[in-house]
Amino acid sequence: METAILEKQAPEVIRQLGRELRSELLMLMPVSSQPSQLLPINETHSLFQTHCAACHGAMGKGDGVASAGLEPPPTDFTDRERAMNRSVLGLYDAITDGIKETAMVSYDQLSEEQRWSLAFYVGGLAFEANAEEGVNATDLSIKELINHNPIQLANGDSNTLKSVIYLRAQPSALFTEKPSPLQIARDQLLAARASYNKGNYEESNRLAVSAYLDGFELVENSLDTRNPDLRKDIEANMMALRKQFRESSNQDQLNTLLDITLAQLETAKRQLSEDSLSNATLFSASLIILLREGLEALLVTLALVLVLIRSERRDALKFVHAGWITALIAGGVTWWAARSLVNISGASREVMEGVAALAAALVLFYVGVWMHSKSNIVQWKAYIQKHVTQRLKTGTLWGIATLAFVAVYRNVFETVLFYEALLTQSLPAQNPTIIGGFLVGLFCLSIIGWIMVRYSIKLPI
């Protein structure tokens, strides 16, 4: 290749020799890691604005506020001719290691997923995605798209070039993405209609229930902040569809309602994808979630504490404290498991909440009967005199502890679900806002809890 350059051979000859040299070097290189998935586009865009826009510009044209006087100037990622000769691997290496004798520094402090996401993002700014051009795009592997530039991959074939351009502009087609809640709702409703047309009404009803619990319910709160009327209409229509899917009559009415609901889901998708929630909305939502759930748990726990204080059994308070502390620990484990290990389905979530509520009711009934049996003044005094130096029956004490656990854990579980939904509608840069709302809510709960503990002892039992 050096000889060809010195002899000033034709550009095409130089390019061909360069491609051959590149292929040989790639074969000799150690096997590099490949991305298994990319960040959502809104997160990647936020990363670009934070780390790259100052030099490369908000649109990637190399015209950022810090670009003046830089030599060489920052790359214009929208330059199609240069992008056609640039590989994603080259971009990833530049982001990871920087480029010597330029203003491009290393960003190895970013995670591997973040660096790959940025590489694919800037590598696609010069291209536009055309759905028709992506028909055969899946014939290309991730490794091929990463290691070679579009001209190398196409090798003169126009159809292959169209597919490569599509994948550079829309790299998510290469990765298996988890469907959005609204997409799950849509897919389940369509599957329900298919089952209904086959006469399988029980299955169609199950799928309609799943469309709500596994799909739409997860974005209800977010949609409510944008368009509460649309949220109410979709919820009402999905409830009506569940009833109609169980019956074999009036198929035309069912199809009409289903088409309306599908169109509403598409409208909701557009409204939710317009931009992320505002910081004020995220802060207030985070604050209200913790206040609402925390107050309920606090009231139940405080009621149990007051029962024992009025009974002059402060020594038994440790069982109540054991119950709510264990619930908080279990809630932390649930949060970790929900994010790392399991995908809790909508039906499972509702069952877990229902079981927790029923268990709390049963334990409360048991403790209530026990308390009522001691409510007569004479009986109560006799009971206290008999057991004042003895501990209460272990079963009764652990019943109170169990009630404290179940009541608090139920609220912690709901809190985990609400915050998970909130995080899906925010950008990584907005996480401090959510944490801020959580901390303010925690502070408010502490003040409220102190006031209740100090003055509620004066209230009738």
Side-chain angles (χ1 to χ4, degrees):
M1 183 173 178
E2 182 180 2
T3 302
I5 293 174
L6 293 174
E7 293 177 356
K8 298 183 179 179
Q9 296 186 20
E12 184 54 40
V13 174
I14 302 297
R15 290 195 189 98
Q16 180 60 35
L17 290 172
R19 286 194 288 267
E20 293 175 359
L21 177 61
R22 176 183 174 81
S23 298
E24 292 177 6
L25 290 174
L26 286 173
M27 291 177 63
L28 295 174
M29 286 176 61
V31 179
S32 58
S33 62
Q34 297 181 27
S36 58
Q37 63 180 8
L38 300 180
L39 295 172
I41 186 63
N42 58 343
E43 294 186 23
T44 306
H45 179 73
S46 178
L47 272 177
F48 180 84
Q49 297 302 320
T50 301
H51 299 286
C52 313
C55 293
H56 293 282
M59 305 301 293
K61 295 183 178 181
D63 56 355
V65 294
S67 63
L70 294 181
E71 186 61 37
T75 299
D76 177 3
F77 293 118
T78 64
D79 184 340
R80 187 183 177 94
E81 183 178 355
R82 292 188 66 181
M84 292 289 285
N85 289 278
R86 185 184 297 121
S87 70
V88 178
L89 179 61
L91 292 166
Y92 175 80
D93 288 341
I95 294 169
T96 302
D97 302 323
I99 301 177
K100 293 181 178 180
E101 300 180 359
T102 73
M104 180 64 194
V105 299
S106 168
Y107 285 95
D108 59 355
Q109 75 272 18
L110 298 179
S111 69
E112 193 173 86
E113 185 180 36
Q114 289 175 321
R115 282 177 277 146
W116 277 120
S117 298
L118 278 174
F120 274 99
Y121 177 79
V122 299
L125 291 177
F127 307 107
E128 295 182 3
N130 186 322
E132 295 180 358
E133 294 174 350
V135 172
N136 298 318
T138 52
D139 292 339
L140 294 164
S141 68
I142 296 177
K143 183 177 181 180
E144 289 175 320
L145 190 72
I146 287 175
N147 289 342
H148 305 284
N149 64 46
I151 292 178
Q152 293 167 341
L153 289 169
N155 197 24
D157 184 78
S158 60
N159 290 328
T160 302
L161 181 61
K162 290 179 180 179
S163 295
V164 173
I165 289 174
Y166 173 83
L167 288 176
R168 287 290 290 264
Q170 194 69 35
S172 59
L174 285 165
F175 301 89
T176 302
E177 292 186 328
K178 183 180 179 180
S180 67
L182 289 177
Q183 185 62 45
I184 292 174
R186 178 182 176 84
D187 292 344
Q188 294 295 74
L189 286 177
L190 292 174
R193 175 156 61 184
S195 294
Y196 181 88
N197 292 335
K198 295 177 182 179
N200 192 344
Y201 305 123
E202 183 178 347
E203 176 66 9
S204 64
N205 177 64
R206 185 192 68 80
L207 290 168
V209 172
S210 174
Y212 178 79
L213 296 180
D214 296 320
F216 182 69
E217 189 185 32
L218 300 179
V219 297
E220 270 190 315
N221 291 334
S222 300
L223 183 59
D224 215 28
T225 63
R226 307 286 184 93
N227 193 333
D229 292 334
L230 178 61
R231 192 273 302 169
K232 293 175 184 177
D233 289 342
I234 294 176
E235 186 176 32
N237 288 344
M238 294 187 79
M239 294 294 289
L241 282 171
R242 287 162 61 173
K243 180 180 179 181
Q244 293 190 19
F245 273 124
R246 291 196 299 265
E247 304 171 354
S248 59
S249 59
N250 221 338
Q251 184 173 359
D252 292 338
Q253 183 179 353
L254 184 149
N255 286 326
T256 300
L257 182 59
L258 180 57
D259 290 338
I260 292 173
T261 306
L262 292 174
Q264 290 174 331
L265 289 173
E266 189 63 29
T267 301
K269 179 181 178 181
R270 287 197 303 271
Q271 293 190 8
L272 289 174
S273 61
E274 285 176 353
D275 49 37
S276 61
L277 297 177
S278 68
N279 286 335
T281 300
L282 288 172
F283 182 87
S284 59
S286 178
L287 172 63
I288 291 171
I289 286 171
L290 190 63
L291 281 179
R292 187 263 178 227
E293 301 296 334
L295 278 174
E296 184 175 338
L298 184 61
L299 285 170
V300 175
T301 305
L302 186 60
L304 293 174
V305 169
L306 288 176
V307 168
L308 294 175
I309 292 177
R310 292 297 182 88
S311 303
E312 298 182 357
R313 289 308 310 268
R314 293 178 179 270
D315 59 303
L317 291 177
K318 60 185 179 182
F319 286 87
V320 177
H321 295 321
W324 69 261
I325 291 173
T326 305
L328 292 180
I329 295 173
V333 174
T334 302
W335 172 270
W336 171 77
R339 296 186 67 84
S340 307
L341 298 181
V342 298
N343 181 23
I344 302 175
S345 69
S348 298
R349 182 180 66 251
E350 295 297 323
V351 168
M352 290 176 70
E353 290 184 5
V355 169
L358 287 174
L362 290 173
V363 176
L364 182 61
F365 178 76
Y366 164 71
V367 175
V369 169
W370 172 81
M371 288 173 59
H372 181 70
S373 67
K374 307 297 181 292
S375 61
N376 182 274
I377 295 297
V378 176
Q379 291 180 341
W380 179 247
K381 287 183 177 180
Y383 181 84
I384 292 297
Q385 289 174 358
K386 181 179 180 181
H387 295 279
V388 70
T389 58
Q390 304 174 10
R391 61 182 177 86
L392 294 173
K393 292 182 179 179
T394 303
T396 301
L397 288 174
W398 283 113
I400 294 175
T402 303
L403 177 60
F405 172 84
V406 174
V408 174
Y409 179 72
R410 178 178 178 274
N411 291 104
V412 173
F413 185 78
E414 290 179 350
T415 302
V416 169
L417 295 177
F418 282 134
Y419 275 101
E420 278 289 299
L422 197 62
L423 288 170
T424 62
Q425 298 299 318
S426 65
L427 299 173
Q430 294 176 305
N431 286 347
T433 301
I434 298 177
I435 295 173
F438 179 89
L439 294 177
V440 172
L442 197 61
F443 176 77
C444 293
L445 279 178
S446 301
I447 299 298
I448 295 171
W450 179 83
I451 293 173
M452 293 174 68
V453 169
R454 182 173 178 82
Y455 295 104
S456 60
I457 193 67
K458 299 177 181 179
L459 297 175
I461 192 69

